[in-house]
Amino acid sequence: MADEIDFTTGDAGASSTYPMQCSALRKNGFVVLKGRPCKIVEMSTSKTGKHGHAKVHLVGIDIFTGKKYEDICPSTHNMDVPNIKRNDYQLICIQDGYLSLLTESGDVREDLKLPEGELGKEIEGKYNAGEDVQVSVMCAMSEEYAVAIKPCK
Amino acid sequence: MVNNEQRQHAEHIFLSFRKSKSPFAVCKHILETSKVDYVLFQAATAIMEAVVREWILLEKSSIESLRTFLLTYVLQRPNLQKYVREQILLAVAVIVKRGSLDKSIDCKSIFHEVSQLISSGNPAVQTLACSILTALLSEFSSSSKTSNIGLSMEFHGNCKRIFQVKNKKCMLSVFLINRNVNKGKHYIAMFESSQNVMLKPTELWRETLLDSRVMELFFTVHRKIREDTDMAQDSLQCLAQLASLHGPVFPDEGSQVDYLAHFIEGLLNNINGIEIEDSEAVGISSIFSNLITVFPRNILTAIPNELFSSFVNCLTHLTCSFGRSAALEEVLDKDDMVYMEAYDKLLESWLTLVQDDKHFHKGFFTQHAVQVFNSYIQCHLAAPDGTRNLTANGVASREEEEISELQEDDRDQFSDQLASVGMLGRIAAEHCIPLLTSLLEDRVTRLHGQLQRHQQQLLASPGSGSIDNKVLDDLYEDIHWLILVTGYLLANDTQGETPLIPPEVMEYSIKHSAEVDINTTLQILGSPGEKASSIPGYNRTDSVIRLLSAILRVSEVESRAIRANLTHLLSPQMGKDIVWFLKRWAKTYLLVDEKLYDQISLPFNAAFGVDTEGSQWIVGYLLEKVISNLAVWSSEQDLANDTVQLLVTLVERRERANLVIQCENWWNLAKQFARRNPPLHFLSSSVQRTLMKALVLGGFAHMDTDTKQQYWTEVLQPLQQRFLNVINQENFQQICQEEEVKQEITATLEALCGIAEATQIDNVAILFNFLMDFLTNCIGLMEVYKNTPETVNLIIEVFVEVAHKQICYLGESKAMNLYEACLTLLQVYSKNNLGRQRIDVTAEEDQYQDLLLIMELLTNLLSKEFIDFSDTDEVFRGHEPGQGANRSVSAADVVLYGVNLVLPLMSQDLLKFPSLCNQYYKLITFICEIFPEKIPQLPEELFKSLMYSLELGMSSMSSEVCQLCLEALTPLAEQCAKAQETDSSLFLATRHFLKMVFDMLVLQKHNTEMTTAAGEAFYTLVCLHQAEYSELVETLLSSQQDPVIYQRLADAFNKLTASSTPPSLDRKQKMAFLKSLEEFMANVGGLLCVK
């Protein structure tokens, strides 16, 4: 049954990226660099010779791994921009290192791993203490991770 | 090898050695025995620091003997390393300086010694003497607190004695001393007016300085040593100082004229017929610049005519020659651009000279202006007309270097040069305007031809990528400079005020208007696609209009190349120059306002006056250019930005906007932008915002009601409609993360920022009401997008912009609406972020940016308290009368509430972002200064965090922040004194701050720049807590075991408060206290820091 849900609620048909002219990208926006979804942390232009055309120098950090990527391209080029989605779910339980999450529509997702590190411990701790917790999940280019929690009011 | 740890260890040893108590004997021993230069250096440093630190503990005689020891030491060791010798001499200088503060050292004795050294006849000794003087002077001139009268008179004596010395090595001494004399006098001048660094000595100097032999000596000496780079610079500096002589030293105008004539004669004798050395260029240009700046016009013109002519000829010659050398420096890419600096100075002098030309007969400077102008143009054009990029032997160099966006555009980097050249061009308009026109027309024809050839080549063999662009690049660069010069010639830079057509340009056009055929002129203007010379009678056109039309021809070639798909061959830089020029031109010339001029040129009036076909045509042309640029150059951020600025210029004045909105293109642009279709949405967000601003400004042009209605329906309503359509969908919550939806929201928020930017006093009523509806909806969006940081950030930015642009115009009830909206925003933000934990990589950066914006928002709201243009809803009269009049919440309440909400989100980690930290402390200092009375009423938690922030800011932040906190303390303490509640928590907190400031001043090493802020806070706190202050002093004293130190400290404290007992908040007493504090700091400061 879980499989069926995955097929129907997924973004079947929706592309995970869309093109944008380099010049229209913005700092703090997103871009695909070396095949990875990145947040743009630095954007500057340069030109070769006084009468040359602008080139854009981009520095981005991978939104999932934190790794830094750079690229330089003519400002007329189109770059891919990742579709980024964020969803908040209510945590129901933790099983075998996976989270059970309740979606807005009342379905349950069980395909997301308990994150490693601090946040994972925090979630586990809160769950074991019986606190109600909301988990924010970020999704881009068919990768999806829990990235934040907030206690329910 | 020494490893890092060892190095640190060694450094530590030296540092603690320098702090050790009374190191004098050890140091003397080291100096006498050690052979290691670095150790000697450290010993000298230790002595210097210890002397100052322990000054009041030392016997005067031991100081004196220490000084003698150091001097003798240096004298006996002529082979010391230079840096060691200078450090020791610096120590001597510091001793003398410190001594002069309490008059314990007689300056005269050291000068006596130095004069003896100088008259010794031994060159090495003389050099040393000069080094001592240099050290003394650099030490003295870095402070403005010590008196120096005796000093300069001593130098005076020294000077005279040395004038007899003749051999070359002694010349050096003469120079150094002369330089010092000048510095010394500099220093006196500083006493009289700290701004003026020109030479303005007292009458006492009259006899020496007006003695023509003295001046001659300086010139003679320069001639003798000019090959020596260092000495030549010193001697030129002396001459430049003499060139700036003014003030009471001249008994009357006659003596000033004589002096000037004499000086110029000497100067010309020195310069004419010699080849100037590289090292002389800057010095010589300073001499000219000083003469022209300092001597009044009537004195300049009073010198013999022939002499003055030779002077101006010489100036002209030098300017042209330095300009050429500066161009060579650029080609060679030298680091040290001495000729460029010299050229800048001379061009600036020209501007000064010709700006006030009433004293000269008309046309006096014309020929000179022509020469300077021509040489500037020549240096900036490619061969064969010019010499750009040619090395000295005529070889062209060409390099394609990588230029970053940080590199300033030539029009800014060389704005001073261009302003001078433009001014000279106006003076010689008869020559310069036709020259620019013919050069530009020639380049346009060549550019057109070149592009055509490229096109044919492309058609013949598509894909043969390698086209040599050298010819094109040369043309672009020529046109670039020609446009810049034309822009500066025809119009002035203006900020805010209405720019006027320069009178010289107006006169020039009027003078020739009788010979001009208006119709041909209009034809030339109106046919940018045709060669000017192909129009019959083209020589009977107005020259100024023809120059403008030459640039329109450049623009037209660009547009045609774009239509022919040759955009990749065009220069974005040239595109930028064109719209920059058109903007500058339109501001000044388009729809000339006759009321602003005595007389107006007929051709100008016919071509771009009010209600003329010409102006309507040109507005249409400019608009077409803008639209084409925005479509074609969306990828060139700077060009798009200049383009959209031109659009703003066209609509920001109502008269021009009236013409703009009559163009169908304008409406198309508005519709196209509202539809968010390509190509406009390719533009960067800042350009889109400015475009929105322009579209809104255009809406306030004069239109009939129906048209206006229609316009807003086209421009603003679609924005509202699309936005409402999106957010009112039933499933908005579910689809809000979809990309199209997010883009729609982002575009709306961006547009709102643009609309806010369009705010002016006469449209604020409409725009505020329009924006307010959105702001309410935006708060709903905050909830929906609470997990989408980039959207949250943009929403806050909308509020920041609205507050920034509008709050100052809002009357009470409207301001209240905005306050409330901002508060709700902050509440939602705080609710969504408290307790939220994020691990994603950008979490901290996102939060930092949010908080920075929030601080900005609060600061903007607070600004209402001191910038307020509102007249109790005057601008809103007739809109919503009377509403909300019974509420009265001040900006302070809102801001404090806001601070209360965001403070829990601030963390010490976030304060590590310097800009956030500064903004935060600026905000709280602001609050303390403006509403000290609100502070005691704050909720306890908030009050505590605020006080903790101040404490943190004083103890562990940058000195800038510390200063801000100290500034916040004074009003808080005054507030306590006023309230007289000795049990309030603020009262208790200030007691704690008293101790902090006390420790800071007395026990810690601190930045002396802060003494004033700390002193003021300290005094106010002392007034408030007199008993605690006495206690602090007692405790400190009782902890001293050394009876000598105890006594000195006790004396110092007594002296400190002597002038202000009992302390009161009286201003006079406060000033007296601050003065004593300075002395106190000099005596005690550092003494107690000794570990």
Side-chain angles (χ1 to χ4, degrees):
Chain A
M1 192 179 131
D3 285 350
E4 273 176 46
I5 290 169
D6 273 348
F7 279 115
T8 49
T9 59
D11 293 319
S15 153
S16 66
T17 64
Y18 61 98
M20 191 184 252
Q21 181 169 301
C22 213
S23 56
L25 293 171
R26 39 190 297 155
K27 198 182 168 231
N28 293 330
F30 299 92
V31 72
V32 179
L33 295 177
K34 309 267 166 0
R36 297 291 307 163
C38 292
K39 182 174 167 114
I40 303 170
V41 290
E42 233 182 272
M43 195 174 158
S44 59
T45 56
S46 68
K47 55 185 180 180
T48 309
K50 206 189 283 179
H51 301 284
H53 290 232
K55 286 176 292 190
V56 178
H57 184 201
L58 289 165
V59 181
I61 44 178
D62 188 319
I63 55 173
F64 294 123
T65 67
K67 226 178 137 189
K68 200 169 177 180
Y69 294 97
E70 293 187 38
D71 200 2
I72 188 159
C73 66
S75 65
T76 47
H77 264 211
N78 278 337
M79 299 288 285
D80 282 335
V81 177
N83 287 324
I84 309 251
K85 287 194 177 188
R86 295 185 182 80
N87 285 302
D88 287 357
Y89 303 113
Q90 179 133 16
L91 178 68
I92 307 174
C93 76
I94 303 175
Q95 217 169 33
D96 302 333
Y98 278 83
L99 304 168
S100 284
L101 301 169
L102 184 65
T103 69
E104 289 262 318
S105 51
D107 299 319
V108 179
R109 295 188 57 170
E110 296 180 310
D111 57 337
L112 282 170
K113 266 194 178 153
L114 177 70
E116 287 165 14
E118 279 296 308
L119 190 72
K121 282 185 206 140
E122 198 73 34
I123 296 179
E124 250 181 326
K126 294 229 152 76
Y127 172 70
N128 291 337
E131 281 178 52
D132 279 343
V133 177
Q134 248 191 359
V135 179
S136 293
V137 173
M138 180 158 71
C139 164
M141 298 174 75
S142 60
E143 278 182 65
E144 203 167 12
Y145 295 103
V147 293
I149 53 163
K150 186 176 174 359
C152 293
K153 31 243 120 160
Chain B
M1 277 299 285
V2 183
N3 68 25
N4 222 6
E5 207 172 298
Q6 286 170 316
R7 184 174 299 119
Q8 281 176 1
H9 183 64
E11 274 169 11
H12 185 75
I13 291 182
F14 278 122
L15 282 177
S16 55
F17 168 65
R18 273 161 42 180
K19 280 188 187 147
S20 58
K21 206 163 181 180
S22 298
F24 305 109
V26 186
C27 288
K28 272 188 186 175
H29 182 72
I30 293 176
L31 285 173
E32 273 160 351
T33 52
S34 174
K35 298 258 182 316
V36 185
D37 295 329
Y38 185 69
V39 174
L40 294 176
F41 176 87
Q42 290 291 348
T45 313
I47 290 185
M48 180 166 73
E49 290 181 0
V51 167
V52 176
R53 198 168 56 217
E54 300 177 21
W55 189 266
I56 54 168
L57 302 177
L58 294 169
E59 291 299 327
K60 294 289 167 283
S61 58
S62 52
I63 296 177
E64 188 60 32
S65 75
L66 188 62
R67 186 182 66 76
T68 319
F69 165 77
L70 291 172
L71 263 186
T72 325
Y73 179 83
V74 177
L75 269 177
Q76 287 167 348
R77 289 171 183 73
N79 297 327
L80 275 180
Q81 281 289 332
K82 192 166 175 252
Y83 76 97
V84 177
R85 185 177 66 226
E86 297 203 335
Q87 191 69 2
I88 295 174
L89 292 177
L90 185 63
V92 174
V94 166
I95 292 175
V96 174
K97 184 182 176 190
R98 180 61 184 86
S100 72
L101 190 69
D102 52 13
K103 304 203 171 55
S104 59
I105 282 195
D106 190 0
C107 292
K108 273 188 188 141
S109 68
I110 183 153
F111 293 122
H112 183 68
E113 285 163 34
V114 173
S115 0
Q116 278 184 334
L117 296 181
I118 287 169
S119 40
S120 69
N122 176 343
V125 174
Q126 285 173 331
T127 314
L128 180 70
C130 293
S131 301
I132 299 172
L133 291 179
T134 312
L136 274 171
L137 275 152
S138 57
E139 189 53 40
F140 268 89
S141 53
S142 65
S143 155
S144 57
K145 282 176 186 129
T146 36
S147 152
N148 178 35
I149 307 308
L151 178 78
S152 44
M153 290 318 287
E154 283 301 325
F155 280 123
H156 181 63
N158 288 335
C159 218
K160 269 196 156 172
R161 227 160 296 141
I162 304 155
F163 276 151
Q164 283 96 38
V165 185
K166 278 283 184 276
N167 78 53
K168 192 167 172 177
K169 201 63 181 168
C170 285
M171 290 289 188
L172 171 72
S173 323
V174 174
F175 272 109
L176 282 168
I177 288 188
N178 281 335
R179 182 169 73 162
N180 291 336
V181 169
N182 286 315
K183 271 198 192 164
K185 282 182 295 192
H186 235 130
Y187 188 53
I188 298 176
M190 252 164 61
F191 273 103
E192 288 163 358
S193 72
S194 55
Q195 294 300 310
N196 196 349
V197 289
M198 298 292 183
L199 184 54
K200 190 181 178 188
T202 58
E203 290 161 44
L204 294 171
W205 290 87
R206 188 173 292 157
E207 198 192 328
T208 319
L209 288 174
L210 298 194
D211 182 344
S212 58
R213 283 170 313 170
V214 173
M215 189 197 292
E216 273 157 27
L217 181 85
F218 277 94
F219 281 118
T220 316
V221 163
H222 180 69
R223 264 200 303 281
K224 295 206 168 154
I225 53 85
R226 53 186 290 269
E227 283 90 12
D228 182 305
T229 313
D230 286 340
M231 286 199 286
Q233 277 173 3
D234 286 337
S235 77
L236 285 172
Q237 206 183 342
C238 293
L239 287 168
Q241 290 279 315
L242 289 175
S244 72
L245 191 66
H246 65 295
V249 70
F250 292 117
D252 49 34
E253 283 193 358
S255 63
Q256 210 174 352
V257 174
D258 287 345
Y259 178 86
L260 179 65
H262 207 86
F263 190 93
I264 289 181
E265 227 169 287
L267 177 67
L268 297 181
N269 281 338
N270 248 34
I271 294 176
N272 285 338
I274 61 158
E275 191 151 330
I276 287 172
E277 304 276 335
D278 293 358
S279 53
E280 290 179 299
V282 174
I284 290 179
S285 59
S286 302
I287 296 175
F288 276 90
S289 160
N290 283 352
L291 287 173
I292 290 169
T293 319
V294 171
F295 285 89
R297 295 294 159 269
N298 62 326
I299 305 288
L300 272 180
T301 45
I303 67 171
N305 278 343
E306 222 163 284
L307 186 62
F308 184 67
S309 295
S310 324
F311 174 69
V312 180
N313 285 339
C314 181
L315 174 64
T316 310
H317 169 75
L318 283 181
T319 312
C320 297
S321 141
F322 286 177
R324 282 188 293 272
S325 306
L328 279 178
E329 275 176 347
E330 281 209 300
V331 176
L332 300 175
D333 212 5
K334 283 198 180 170
D335 286 338
D336 196 10
M337 307 267 282
V338 286
Y339 283 107
M340 190 57 95
E341 190 185 338
Y343 191 42
D344 281 342
K345 273 199 175 139
L346 291 187
L347 283 176
E348 200 190 318
S349 310
W350 274 109
L351 197 59
T352 319
L353 191 60
V354 300
Q355 250 167 2
D356 183 19
D357 62 353
K358 294 186 292 294
H359 293 277
F360 307 102
H361 70 81
K362 204 167 164 50
F364 182 85
F365 291 114
T366 310
Q367 278 320 305
H368 307 287
V370 167
Q371 286 184 50
V372 176
F373 188 88
N374 281 353
S375 92
Y376 190 86
I377 296 288
Q378 201 182 33
C379 289
H380 288 86
L381 292 184
D385 289 344
T387 56
R388 187 184 65 231
N389 276 345
L390 292 189
T391 54
N393 50 16
V395 179
S397 93
R398 180 164 171 265
E399 244 184 299
E400 293 271 87
E401 53 179 341
E402 211 51 32
I403 301 175
S404 93
E405 63 180 0
L406 299 173
Q407 169 93 44
E408 258 187 312
D409 198 285
D410 286 339
R411 68 185 188 221
D412 301 316
Q413 193 187 342
F414 297 106
S415 59
D416 290 343
Q417 283 190 3
L418 287 162
S420 296
V421 171
M423 185 69 191
L424 293 172
R426 288 174 202 168
I427 287 180
E430 295 276 356
H431 166 81
C432 299
I433 289 180
L435 174 71
L436 286 173
T437 309
S438 76
L439 288 171
L440 269 168
E441 285 177 355
D442 169 70
R443 301 302 183 278
V444 173
T445 312
R446 281 163 57 193
L447 179 62
H448 187 244
Q450 193 62 26
L451 286 168
Q452 258 181 349
R453 283 188 286 281
H454 273 294
Q455 191 186 19
Q456 276 153 14
Q457 203 178 328
L458 281 170
L459 287 174
S461 55
S464 72
S466 64
I467 294 170
D468 178 23
N469 286 342
K470 159 114 180 61
V471 180
L472 271 182
D473 267 3
D474 273 347
L475 282 170
Y476 289 142
E477 185 71 0
D478 280 7
I479 294 173
H480 166 67
W481 286 106
L482 291 171
I483 293 181
L484 292 190
V485 173
T486 307
Y488 273 89
L489 192 158
L490 290 185
N492 288 320
D493 273 323
T494 49
Q495 272 108 25
E497 64 211 283
T498 312
L500 290 179
I501 297 174
E504 297 87 356
V505 177
M506 184 69 98
E507 253 168 59
Y508 170 64
S509 173
I510 291 172
K511 187 176 159 201
H512 292 278
S513 54
E515 314 142 26
V516 162
D517 185 284
I518 300 280
N519 281 330
T520 324
T521 304
L522 291 179
Q523 215 182 331
I524 287 263
L525 177 68
S527 55
E530 284 164 53
K531 245 174 133 161
S533 56
S534 70
I535 290 160
Y538 67 95
N539 274 333
R540 295 190 56 210
T541 51
D542 179 88
S543 300
V544 181
I545 296 178
R546 183 148 162 213
L547 179 54
L548 162 72
S549 66
I551 291 184
L552 292 183
R553 283 176 164 71
V554 180
S555 160
E556 188 62 23
V557 169
E558 188 196 34
S559 301
R560 288 183 177 195
I562 288 168
R563 287 199 288 272
N565 288 325
L566 296 176
T567 313
H568 61 284
L569 291 177
L570 288 171
S571 155
Q573 175 70 53
M574 184 185 75
K576 229 166 107 174
D577 297 331
I578 293 170
V579 280
W580 166 82
F581 172 85
L582 293 173
K583 176 184 141 196
R584 199 174 165 108
W585 175 85
K587 268 197 171 165
T588 313
Y589 289 81
L590 186 55
L591 304 183
V592 272
D593 184 352
E594 290 175 54
K595 292 190 292 293
L596 298 173
Y597 303 90
D598 296 338
Q599 211 190 345
I600 223 159
S601 135
L602 214 63
F604 287 1
N605 221 356
F608 8 88
V610 186
D611 290 329
T612 57
E613 269 180 54
S615 55
Q616 181 68 57
W617 175 83
I618 206 154
V619 164
Y621 185 84
L622 296 180
L623 195 58
E624 204 176 310
K625 185 81 197 169
V626 167
I627 291 171
S628 147
N629 272 6
L630 291 181
V632 178
W633 295 116
S634 62
S635 59
E636 294 288 336
Q637 161 99 17
D638 288 346
L639 173 48
N641 195 44
D642 278 339
T643 302
V644 83
Q645 292 300 342
L646 168 61
L647 189 66
V648 170
T649 301
L650 288 180
V651 290
E652 75 189 343
R653 291 254 320 273
R654 192 93 16 123
E655 306 83 69
R656 293 196 288 259
N658 293 343
L659 287 184
V660 171
I661 53 139
Q662 288 170 35
C663 300
E664 208 176 319
N665 265 335
W666 172 258
W667 291 72
N668 292 336
L669 179 69
K671 282 182 222 172
Q672 203 189 9
F673 188 62
R675 278 199 300 272
R676 295 203 191 113
N677 286 344
L680 294 180
H681 86 251
F682 288 159
L683 294 164
S684 68
S685 80
S686 74
V687 174
Q688 289 199 38
R689 282 186 196 187
T690 315
L691 180 53
M692 187 75 228
K693 170 184 173 181
L695 291 172
V696 171
L697 284 174
F700 293 97
H702 182 74
M703 307 178 233
D704 60 59
T705 329
D706 287 349
T707 321
K708 189 154 255 175
Q709 190 58 44
Q710 197 197 337
Y711 186 78
W712 291 123
T713 315
E714 306 272 11
V715 177
L716 291 186
Q717 262 181 18
L719 187 72
Q720 205 162 19
Q721 208 46 56
R722 293 172 68 130
F723 182 63
L724 292 177
N725 286 348
V726 173
I727 62 170
N728 289 337
Q729 290 176 80
E730 239 168 68
N731 61 345
F732 180 52
Q733 287 277 358
Q734 278 89 58
I735 59 166
C736 69
Q737 288 288 331
E738 271 166 28
E739 204 51 50
E740 307 79 69
V741 177
K742 279 204 283 191
Q743 282 179 22
E744 189 67 41
I745 297 290
T746 308
T748 307
L749 295 172
E750 287 283 345
L752 293 179
C753 290
I755 295 173
E757 269 181 49
T759 305
Q760 291 176 344
I761 187 150
D762 51 1
N763 65 20
V764 65
I766 297 171
L767 293 186
F768 177 75
N769 288 335
F770 180 80
L771 288 169
M772 249 346 254
D773 290 344
F774 278 97
L775 293 191
T776 323
N777 284 319
C778 281
I779 290 166
L781 283 183
M782 281 289 275
E783 193 63 52
V784 176
Y785 285 103
K786 63 185 173 204
N787 55 18
T788 312
E790 59 277 10
T791 310
V792 169
N793 197 264
L794 194 52
I795 294 172
I796 306 176
E797 202 178 341
V798 173
F799 280 75
V800 171
E801 284 299 317
V802 174
H804 176 54
K805 293 289 178 185
Q806 304 203 325
I807 189 85
C808 61
Y809 300 121
L810 301 181
E812 206 176 295
S813 73
K814 299 290 168 188
M816 190 56 53
N817 294 346
L818 186 57
Y819 290 156
E820 282 169 4
C822 292
L823 264 191
T824 321
L825 174 89
L826 295 176
Q827 281 164 338
V828 174
Y829 181 83
S830 149
K831 174 177 75 76
N832 289 336
N833 285 281
L834 266 183
R836 185 171 152 90
Q837 279 172 296
R838 288 173 56 186
I839 52 150
D840 50 318
V841 286
T842 58
E844 197 181 37
E845 172 90 13
D846 286 338
Q847 193 166 27
Y848 149 68
Q849 280 173 353
D850 289 347
L851 289 176
L852 189 59
L853 281 174
I854 291 176
M855 299 291 164
E856 231 173 280
L857 175 63
L858 297 177
T859 314
N860 286 346
L861 292 179
L862 203 53
S863 71
K864 177 79 173 165
E865 294 293 321
F866 46 86
I867 307 171
D868 193 348
F869 301 132
S870 71
D871 186 8
T872 44
D873 284 336
E874 175 70 30
V875 291
F876 290 93
R877 198 146 287 163
H879 287 275
E880 283 172 63
Q883 185 219 33
N886 51 349
R887 283 176 293 181
S888 97
V889 179
S890 72
D893 295 320
V894 186
V895 172
L896 287 173
Y897 193 74
V899 172
N900 196 13
L901 286 175
V902 294
L903 216 54
L905 299 172
M906 292 288 289
S907 65
Q908 285 195 35
D909 271 348
L910 278 170
L911 283 178
K912 284 181 189 141
F913 287 99
S915 49
L916 182 60
C917 184
N918 284 345
Q919 185 79 33
Y920 173 68
Y921 278 102
K922 225 191 279 169
L923 180 66
I924 60 177
T925 302
F926 241 17
I927 296 174
C928 293
E929 280 178 339
I930 308 180
F931 317 106
E933 72 280 1
K934 301 270 183 190
I935 306 292
Q937 304 156 16
L938 293 178
E940 199 188 334
E941 277 307 306
L942 178 57
F943 177 81
K944 272 190 194 155
S945 350
L946 210 60
M947 293 303 125
Y948 179 64
S949 293
L950 285 177
E951 189 177 338
L952 199 65
M954 278 164 62
S955 54
S956 44
M957 299 283 164
S958 68
S959 63
E960 198 184 327
V961 167
C962 183
Q963 175 124 6
L964 281 171
C965 293
L966 287 167
E967 281 165 18
L969 288 182
T970 311
L972 290 184
E974 281 169 355
Q975 171 61 27
C976 272
K978 241 184 273 164
Q980 297 197 322
E981 287 169 21
T982 47
D983 53 349
S984 75
S985 40
L986 183 60
F987 187 81
L988 297 177
T990 51
R991 203 152 69 193
H992 174 65
F993 286 129
L994 171 68
K995 169 132 179 56
M996 278 193 78
V997 181
F998 181 86
D999 288 354
M1000 182 191 274
L1001 282 170
V1002 180
L1003 298 177
Q1004 291 153 13
K1005 223 178 174 153
H1006 68 280
N1007 194 336
T1008 44
E1009 284 161 28
M1010 244 143 31
T1011 313
T1012 318
E1016 278 195 41
F1018 186 47
Y1019 184 69
T1020 333
L1021 291 165
V1022 168
C1023 292
L1024 194 60
H1025 303 283
Q1026 290 170 30
E1028 283 78 4
Y1029 168 69
S1030 312
E1031 221 172 275
L1032 283 173
V1033 174
E1034 276 313 310
T1035 319
L1036 182 72
L1037 287 177
S1038 61
S1039 69
Q1040 301 302 320
Q1041 275 134 26
D1042 186 336
V1044 180
I1045 294 190
Y1046 177 91
Q1047 199 46 51
R1048 305 251 170 165
L1049 264 180
D1051 290 350
F1053 275 114
N1054 282 338
K1055 253 174 134 181
L1056 175 62
T1057 43
S1059 60
S1060 44
T1061 323
S1064 77
L1065 289 174
D1066 172 64
R1067 196 185 132 70
K1068 235 169 139 185
Q1069 281 202 6
K1070 187 172 176 173
M1071 296 320 286
F1073 177 86
L1074 289 177
K1075 232 179 151 184
S1076 332
L1077 182 66
E1078 248 170 56
E1079 201 183 325
F1080 175 86
M1081 296 298 296
N1083 286 333
V1084 180
L1087 173 63
L1088 296 165
C1089 306
V1090 185
K1091 291 268 150 61

